[in-house]
Amino acid sequence: MKILDLRPKSAAMANRTQGYGYENTSYYQHCTINFMGIGNIHAVRDAYQKISNLCLSATANDIQWTQLVEETRWPSMIRLILSASWQTAFHIYFNRLPVLLHCSHGWDRTSQVSALSQIFLDEYYRTKEGFATLIEKDFMSFGHPFHTRGGHGEGRGERGGVPGSVGNTGSSGGSGSNHGGGGTTVGGGGGDEGQLSPIFLQFLDCVYQIVNQYPDYFEFNTKYLLLLSEHVYSCRFGTLLCDTEREREVVAGIRQRTFCLWDYLDSMDELVNVNYVRQQEWRKQSKKGEDDTVYGEDGVLMMPLPTLLRNVTLWTDRHCMYGPKATVRCMPEELEQYCTGLNSGEGSHVVVAKDRAPLLSTNDIVDGELKRAMEEVEKWKNIAKSYLEELDILKAGGVGEKEVVVVDDDDAVIVNGGENVEE
């Protein structure tokens, strides 16, 4: 068995003074332990405050932008979590070893790494239904304290009630607005401000990195993650409220009193990845079942670890959403129509729901260009097919040895004995 302690080794040793610690492998035969070095909730909160301050700063040095982003340590934390998740999936799939994951409590870092490793291992969790199931299983059912970590419905400094108390889970003020706007503070309060930390948002950032690098393997796109990250703190839906299943089901009656976030996300067509290819279809499209270097035979998504870690980038759609400086390239008007509009009649027009603006992301430019190129290819394929059908009809109609060469839609040049006759 492989034991992965997600804490830094120094933190694990320090916990011994409080009666905790870590496994002594001399007591467990054929077991090895590794420390992953992932920071605790306080380190995550500090890093998020730094990345938020940087993205919202009007005086940040753009020449040293990449260096400033790395100095916040937010990207390095993302890499640590992705690395631990990849190693977990690697030991399970290639070494056929059971893996034991744990940290201090088991509902923050453990939930992150466990869920991400399952995304690598099982194609089902890369679908919309499977991803929702994964969150409900590894975060909600295993006790991730959404209210305590997010401070839902409490203003900064409020101490009214125990963290996670039901009386404070229904409103959408205070911390929800700060989080939704990517403010300079994490949340805005909570019964114990020391317990506030964007753990779930960090998990979504890790998923974004995988989706951004391998979009064809996911049924949902980065817009899905962006909208989900906003409603973690909006308190508009009850799906991600409260700390425990008992609070949600028994005390607050969340399912009976609030709307479901998953139903809302499933109702939006623009959150679906049109280029998604399931594992079975992927095998059919490959060269006679030839193994793909990334996609395993069982639907496992295992890329080289350096490829994954070296391409980690800032989630600009989320962190720079309300920044004072332009970070994302402006989209040409005609390309925007391809991304947010529907073809109607002779031209295209932008179709936007009455209650919201068009949902756009950085990948829309590439997706729009690809969509437009594919439509051009399909158009010319249809033109060529119609011309070939016309040639077959003319040849079958007794044209004989005459050769018909189509010039355009209106004219045709018939070559007969070296003479050109225009019809």
Side-chain angles (χ1 to χ4, degrees):
M1 183 174 69
K2 190 73 175 180
I3 302 174
L4 296 184
D5 192 325
L6 305 178
R7 302 168 293 178
K9 187 173 182 179
S10 58
M13 296 181 67
N15 285 344
R16 283 184 169 181
T17 60
Q18 302 177 3
Y20 303 108
Y22 56 91
E23 293 81 5
N24 187 344
T25 54
S26 62
Y27 297 154
Y28 305 94
Q29 293 183 359
H30 310 296
C31 290
T32 57
I33 185 171
N34 291 99
F35 296 90
M36 295 292 100
I38 302 175
N40 58 19
I41 60 172
H42 310 292
V44 175
R45 180 176 64 246
D46 294 340
Y48 183 70
Q49 288 177 341
K50 292 178 181 178
I51 196 68
S52 297
N53 290 334
L54 176 63
C55 293
L56 293 176
S57 173
T59 60
N61 190 337
D62 298 328
I63 297 177
Q64 299 178 344
W65 173 255
T66 304
Q67 177 183 347
L68 294 175
V69 171
E70 289 293 337
E71 287 177 354
T72 64
R73 298 197 70 250
W74 182 263
S76 63
M77 288 185 173
I78 298 296
R79 294 188 186 97
L80 284 172
I81 297 172
L82 289 174
S83 176
S85 305
W86 186 93
Q87 292 182 54
T88 302
F90 180 87
H91 289 302
I92 293 174
Y93 184 69
F94 289 103
N95 296 334
R96 305 298 181 183
L97 290 175
V99 178
L100 171 64
L101 298 174
H102 73 83
C103 55
S104 298
H105 296 90
W107 52 51
D108 292 315
R109 289 167 286 193
T110 306
S111 295
Q112 290 176 330
V113 174
S114 174
L116 288 169
S117 62
Q118 292 174 75
I119 290 177
F120 286 126
L121 291 171
D122 195 336
E123 181 193 20
Y124 172 68
Y125 296 122
R126 298 194 290 273
T127 65
K128 292 195 299 181
E129 177 186 355
F131 188 66
T133 302
L134 183 67
I135 292 175
E136 296 228 4
K137 175 174 68 72
D138 279 50
F139 281 89
M140 298 172 64
S141 296
F142 286 173
H144 176 71
F146 283 95
H147 177 77
T148 300
R149 295 291 180 258
H152 292 145
E154 296 181 356
R156 186 168 185 81
E158 289 186 5
R159 299 287 178 176
V162 180
S165 58
V166 178
N168 294 324
T169 58
S171 71
S172 59
S175 64
S177 59
N178 288 341
H179 263 298
T184 57
T185 59
V186 179
D192 182 3
E193 292 182 6
Q195 295 299 312
L196 292 173
S197 187
I199 296 296
F200 189 72
L201 179 62
Q202 188 182 45
F203 163 74
L204 294 179
D205 201 332
C206 293
V207 178
Y208 166 81
Q209 304 300 330
I210 308 174
V211 177
N212 188 49
Q213 295 182 37
Y214 299 93
D216 295 345
Y217 299 89
F218 291 83
E219 186 182 13
F220 52 90
N221 53 27
T222 56
K223 295 180 187 178
Y224 184 95
L225 300 172
L226 177 61
L227 201 58
L228 177 57
S229 70
E230 291 182 349
H231 289 300
V232 170
Y233 301 101
S234 69
C235 297
R236 181 179 174 184
F237 303 93
T239 305
L240 302 179
L241 294 181
C242 302
D243 284 343
T244 63
E245 288 285 271
R246 181 181 180 276
E247 288 184 2
R248 279 186 288 269
E249 301 294 340
V250 180
V251 182
I254 290 295
R255 294 184 188 273
Q256 293 75 29
R257 298 170 56 192
T258 62
F259 293 101
C260 178
L261 175 58
W262 311 124
D263 292 341
Y264 173 73
L265 296 176
D266 289 342
S267 66
M268 304 176 66
D269 294 335
E270 62 261 45
L271 305 183
V272 178
N273 178 18
V274 296
N275 298 319
Y276 171 63
V277 181
R278 295 183 182 272
Q279 190 266 346
Q280 294 85 353
E281 299 174 356
W282 187 278
R283 307 308 317 167
K284 294 179 181 178
Q285 295 179 10
S286 62
K287 298 180 180 179
K288 296 182 180 180
E290 181 181 352
D291 289 342
D292 183 74
T293 56
V294 176
Y295 219 150
E297 294 181 357
D298 303 327
V300 176
L301 176 60
M302 291 298 293
M303 70 294 290
L305 183 58
T307 303
L308 175 65
L309 301 184
R310 293 185 181 187
N311 288 282
V312 168
T313 183
L314 178 66
W315 190 5
T316 53
D317 292 336
R318 168 64 193 183
H319 299 295
C320 300
M321 184 187 303
Y322 301 104
K325 292 186 177 182
T327 306
V328 181
R329 168 189 165 190
C330 295
M331 184 176 296
E333 181 178 356
E334 64 275 8
L335 208 56
E336 184 176 347
Q337 294 176 353
Y338 273 87
C339 298
T340 61
L342 298 173
N343 292 332
S344 175
E346 298 179 355
S348 299
H349 66 282
V350 177
V351 178
V352 182
K354 295 181 180 180
D355 60 340
R356 61 181 177 85
L359 184 62
L360 301 175
S361 66
T362 53
N363 293 332
D364 283 331
I365 298 177
V366 177
D367 293 342
E369 292 175 346
L370 178 60
K371 180 180 179 182
R372 183 167 59 177
M374 295 302 294
E375 289 182 355
E376 288 291 321
V377 170
E378 190 67 25
K379 181 184 74 174
W380 287 108
K381 280 185 179 180
N382 294 333
I383 292 175
K385 183 179 179 180
S386 64
Y387 286 166
L388 290 175
E389 292 176 352
E390 184 178 350
L391 286 172
D392 293 338
I393 294 174
L394 292 175
K395 289 180 180 179
V399 178
E401 298 179 354
K402 295 180 180 179
E403 181 182 356
V404 180
V405 181
V406 178
V407 177
D408 53 31
D409 294 337
D410 301 323
D411 301 327
V413 178
I414 300 178
V415 181
N416 183 16
E419 296 180 0
N420 295 342
V421 180
E422 184 173 348
E423 293 184 354

